[in-house]
mmCIF file of all heavy atoms in Angstrom:
data_model
loop_
_atom_site.group_PDB
_atom_site.id
_atom_site.type_symbol
_atom_site.label_atom_id
_atom_site.label_comp_id
_atom_site.label_asym_id
_atom_site.label_seq_id
_atom_site.Cartn_x
_atom_site.Cartn_y
_atom_site.Cartn_z
ATOM 1 N N ALA A 160 -8.760 -6.743 8.462
ATOM 2 C CA ALA A 160 -9.588 -7.062 7.290
ATOM 3 C C ALA A 160 -9.095 -6.357 6.031
ATOM 4 O O ALA A 160 -9.209 -6.900 4.923
ATOM 5 C CB ALA A 160 -11.030 -6.717 7.563
ATOM 6 N N SER A 161 -8.519 -5.169 6.152
ATOM 7 C CA SER A 161 -8.063 -4.457 4.961
ATOM 8 C C SER A 161 -6.908 -5.200 4.286
ATOM 9 O O SER A 161 -6.831 -5.239 3.063
ATOM 10 C CB SER A 161 -7.649 -3.007 5.291
ATOM 11 O OG SER A 161 -6.464 -2.993 6.058
ATOM 12 N N VAL A 162 -6.027 -5.800 5.066
ATOM 13 C CA VAL A 162 -4.918 -6.551 4.487
ATOM 14 C C VAL A 162 -5.463 -7.841 3.840
ATOM 15 O O VAL A 162 -5.012 -8.234 2.768
ATOM 16 C CB VAL A 162 -3.840 -6.878 5.548
ATOM 17 C CG1 VAL A 162 -2.721 -7.730 4.973
ATOM 18 C CG2 VAL A 162 -3.291 -5.590 6.163
ATOM 19 N N VAL A 163 -6.435 -8.459 4.472
ATOM 20 C CA VAL A 163 -7.046 -9.655 3.923
ATOM 21 C C VAL A 163 -7.714 -9.351 2.587
ATOM 22 O O VAL A 163 -7.554 -10.102 1.607
ATOM 23 C CB VAL A 163 -8.036 -10.285 4.914
ATOM 24 C CG1 VAL A 163 -8.804 -11.458 4.277
ATOM 25 C CG2 VAL A 163 -7.303 -10.753 6.173
ATOM 26 N N ARG A 164 -8.421 -8.233 2.523
ATOM 27 C CA ARG A 164 -9.079 -7.831 1.264
ATOM 28 C C ARG A 164 -8.026 -7.566 0.171
ATOM 29 O O ARG A 164 -8.229 -7.943 -0.992
ATOM 30 C CB ARG A 164 -9.944 -6.587 1.467
ATOM 31 C CG ARG A 164 -11.223 -6.876 2.241
ATOM 32 C CD ARG A 164 -12.164 -5.675 2.252
ATOM 33 N NE ARG A 164 -11.599 -4.503 2.869
ATOM 34 C CZ ARG A 164 -11.774 -4.185 4.167
ATOM 35 N NH1 ARG A 164 -12.485 -4.974 4.957
ATOM 36 N NH2 ARG A 164 -11.229 -3.083 4.659
ATOM 37 N N LEU A 165 -6.927 -6.924 0.543
ATOM 38 C CA LEU A 165 -5.855 -6.665 -0.421
ATOM 39 C C LEU A 165 -5.258 -7.985 -0.921
ATOM 40 O O LEU A 165 -5.020 -8.151 -2.122
ATOM 41 C CB LEU A 165 -4.775 -5.775 0.195
ATOM 42 C CG LEU A 165 -3.549 -5.482 -0.653
ATOM 43 C CD1 LEU A 165 -3.926 -4.837 -1.986
ATOM 44 C CD2 LEU A 165 -2.594 -4.567 0.139
ATOM 45 N N LEU A 166 -5.019 -8.917 -0.014
ATOM 46 C CA LEU A 166 -4.493 -10.224 -0.424
ATOM 47 C C LEU A 166 -5.487 -10.926 -1.351
ATOM 48 O O LEU A 166 -5.091 -11.478 -2.384
ATOM 49 C CB LEU A 166 -4.202 -11.074 0.803
ATOM 50 C CG LEU A 166 -3.809 -12.554 0.521
ATOM 51 C CD1 LEU A 166 -2.566 -12.631 -0.372
ATOM 52 C CD2 LEU A 166 -3.600 -13.297 1.819
ATOM 53 N N ASP A 167 -6.758 -10.938 -1.010
ATOM 54 C CA ASP A 167 -7.769 -11.591 -1.842
ATOM 55 C C ASP A 167 -7.808 -10.981 -3.251
ATOM 56 O O ASP A 167 -7.863 -11.709 -4.251
ATOM 57 C CB ASP A 167 -9.146 -11.506 -1.204
ATOM 58 C CG ASP A 167 -9.276 -12.379 0.036
ATOM 59 O OD1 ASP A 167 -8.426 -13.267 0.271
ATOM 60 O OD2 ASP A 167 -10.254 -12.162 0.807
ATOM 61 N N ALA A 168 -7.765 -9.645 -3.317
ATOM 62 C CA ALA A 168 -7.804 -8.980 -4.610
ATOM 63 C C ALA A 168 -6.530 -9.251 -5.417
ATOM 64 O O ALA A 168 -6.588 -9.416 -6.644
ATOM 65 C CB ALA A 168 -7.985 -7.459 -4.424
ATOM 66 N N THR A 169 -5.398 -9.323 -4.732
ATOM 67 C CA THR A 169 -4.134 -9.606 -5.408
ATOM 68 C C THR A 169 -4.143 -11.047 -5.940
ATOM 69 O O THR A 169 -3.749 -11.285 -7.101
ATOM 70 C CB THR A 169 -2.944 -9.413 -4.441
ATOM 71 O OG1 THR A 169 -2.943 -8.057 -3.998
ATOM 72 C CG2 THR A 169 -1.627 -9.754 -5.095
ATOM 73 N N ARG A 170 -4.596 -11.972 -5.139
ATOM 74 C CA ARG A 170 -4.667 -13.367 -5.599
ATOM 75 C C ARG A 170 -5.631 -13.513 -6.755
ATOM 76 O O ARG A 170 -5.362 -14.265 -7.700
ATOM 77 C CB ARG A 170 -5.086 -14.282 -4.437
ATOM 78 C CG ARG A 170 -3.975 -14.383 -3.395
ATOM 79 C CD ARG A 170 -4.378 -15.318 -2.269
ATOM 80 N NE ARG A 170 -4.438 -16.687 -2.749
ATOM 81 C CZ ARG A 170 -4.967 -17.700 -2.088
ATOM 82 N NH1 ARG A 170 -5.470 -17.485 -0.879
ATOM 83 N NH2 ARG A 170 -4.998 -18.904 -2.591
ATOM 84 N N ALA A 171 -6.721 -12.770 -6.737
ATOM 85 C CA ALA A 171 -7.678 -12.840 -7.852
ATOM 86 C C ALA A 171 -7.022 -12.327 -9.136
ATOM 87 O O ALA A 171 -7.204 -12.916 -10.202
ATOM 88 C CB ALA A 171 -8.930 -12.015 -7.521
ATOM 89 N N ARG A 172 -6.263 -11.246 -9.023
ATOM 90 C CA ARG A 172 -5.586 -10.714 -10.209
ATOM 91 C C ARG A 172 -4.555 -11.723 -10.735
ATOM 92 O O ARG A 172 -4.369 -11.850 -11.927
ATOM 93 C CB ARG A 172 -4.918 -9.379 -9.904
ATOM 94 C CG ARG A 172 -4.291 -8.785 -11.170
ATOM 95 C CD ARG A 172 -3.789 -7.408 -11.016
ATOM 96 N NE ARG A 172 -4.854 -6.448 -10.829
ATOM 97 C CZ ARG A 172 -4.653 -5.163 -10.606
ATOM 98 N NH1 ARG A 172 -3.432 -4.670 -10.561
ATOM 99 N NH2 ARG A 172 -5.663 -4.326 -10.448
ATOM 100 N N LEU A 173 -3.891 -12.399 -9.820
ATOM 101 C CA LEU A 173 -2.889 -13.395 -10.213
ATOM 102 C C LEU A 173 -3.516 -14.711 -10.678
ATOM 103 O O LEU A 173 -2.835 -15.532 -11.305
ATOM 104 C CB LEU A 173 -1.948 -13.697 -9.045
ATOM 105 C CG LEU A 173 -0.929 -12.626 -8.675
ATOM 106 C CD1 LEU A 173 -0.328 -12.931 -7.323
ATOM 107 C CD2 LEU A 173 0.130 -12.535 -9.745
#
Side-chain angles (χ1 to χ4, degrees):
S161 70
V162 178
V163 173
R164 287 189 298 267
L165 177 56
L166 173 58
D167 289 346
T169 300
R170 290 182 69 191
R172 184 172 292 176
L173 287 167

